[in-house]
Amino acid sequence: LAYDSAFCFYYADNISLLEELGCEIVPFSPLSDKALPENIGGLILGGGYPELYAEKLSENIPLLHEIKESISGGLPVIAECGGFMYLNESVEDVNGIRRKMAGVINGQAYRTDRLQRFGYVSLTAKKDCMLLDKGRSVRAHEFHYWQSTCPGGDFWAQKPRRDKGWPCMTTTPSLVAGFPHVYYPANPDVARAFASAAASFAERRRHG
């Protein structure tokens, strides 16, 4: 679990649910730690303020490289909002300077002059992914001024009781990344799927 001044927004209920499912939560700091914690089975990059710490995050090259290589190697990862921006090729900081990031997502995170998304949404998977099968949904929340040139399109975000929605999220068999903050208790199968993916990855790692 990325946890420091740059990544600090998490639903406590999400973490509690993962712990109830047997997950051991190991915090680390993308700002100061040069490597991921050893022998992890999964990674969560939550929301926060990477734009305020973009220079320091970009200077932690060993960790950026390890995260990119780990994701390429199939490490189960959820990246939300600030965590999603961190996986982009670059993030524009608050001074308008573009800083290199992990480069997992083929996009650039940039500042806008107004709030891009705000409020609750229902996320529906447009294809099978690590967390949900195609057609299944979970509730989430968005709030961000920054945008990405590659916001993704593997989920559909629908505003409640309004005829407004948009595509979002990038997924692979082991990655779900995008601006929405997913609320796991709204569909506990999401947490179960991530816990299962992490356990399977850890088991494969133990047996080489």
Side-chain angles (χ1 to χ4, degrees):
L1 186 80
Y3 195 82
D4 56 21
S5 298
F7 303 97
C8 52
F9 181 87
Y10 294 96
Y11 290 123
D13 289 347
N14 286 3
I15 305 305
S16 296
L17 182 52
L18 289 173
E19 289 179 325
E20 289 171 14
L21 292 169
C23 295
E24 178 188 359
I25 306 300
V26 183
F28 77 101
S29 170
L31 285 170
S32 58
D33 291 331
K34 301 302 181 186
L36 291 170
E38 293 184 357
N39 301 318
I40 58 173
L43 172 63
I44 300 178
L45 300 166
Y49 308 96
E51 67 276 10
L52 299 181
Y53 301 92
E55 181 177 10
K56 191 170 182 180
L57 289 169
S58 70
E59 291 171 349
N60 194 351
I61 295 172
L63 181 64
L64 288 168
H65 284 175
E66 183 182 358
I67 287 175
K68 185 174 184 179
E69 290 174 2
S70 296
I71 291 175
S72 296
L75 178 71
V77 176
I78 298 173
E80 299 182 335
C81 206
F84 164 67
M85 289 165 54
Y86 181 65
L87 293 187
N88 275 241
E89 292 176 340
S90 68
V91 168
E92 181 184 350
D93 69 13
V94 290
N95 298 312
I97 300 171
R98 192 161 295 286
R99 307 289 185 180
K100 279 193 172 184
M101 294 292 148
V104 174
I105 304 294
N106 186 26
Q108 323 292 327
Y110 60 93
R111 186 177 187 173
T112 72
D113 59 2
R114 62 184 177 84
L115 191 61
Q116 292 299 302
R117 306 285 186 204
F118 173 70
Y120 297 109
V121 294
S122 177
L123 292 178
T124 301
K126 295 168 67 177
K127 67 176 189 179
D128 291 349
C129 69
M130 175 178 63
L131 299 183
L132 288 171
D133 291 337
K134 180 180 178 179
R136 301 211 52 209
S137 302
V138 65
R139 291 199 294 274
H141 179 266
E142 282 199 51
F143 183 102
H144 53 96
Y145 285 86
W146 264 246
Q147 188 54 280
S148 171
T149 59
C150 186
D154 293 336
F155 276 74
W156 181 260
Q158 183 66 46
K159 293 287 286 184
R161 298 184 297 278
R162 288 174 59 187
D163 187 22
K164 182 179 180 182
W166 55 89
C168 62
M169 313 286 276
T170 295
T171 68
T172 71
S174 58
L175 171 70
V176 175
F179 278 111
H181 297 276
V182 176
Y183 186 63
Y184 305 166
N187 184 347
D189 285 346
V190 167
R192 294 187 192 102
F194 183 65
S196 177
S200 296
F201 183 86
E203 186 69 16
R204 292 196 302 273
R205 171 176 274 172
R206 276 196 295 271
H207 290 90

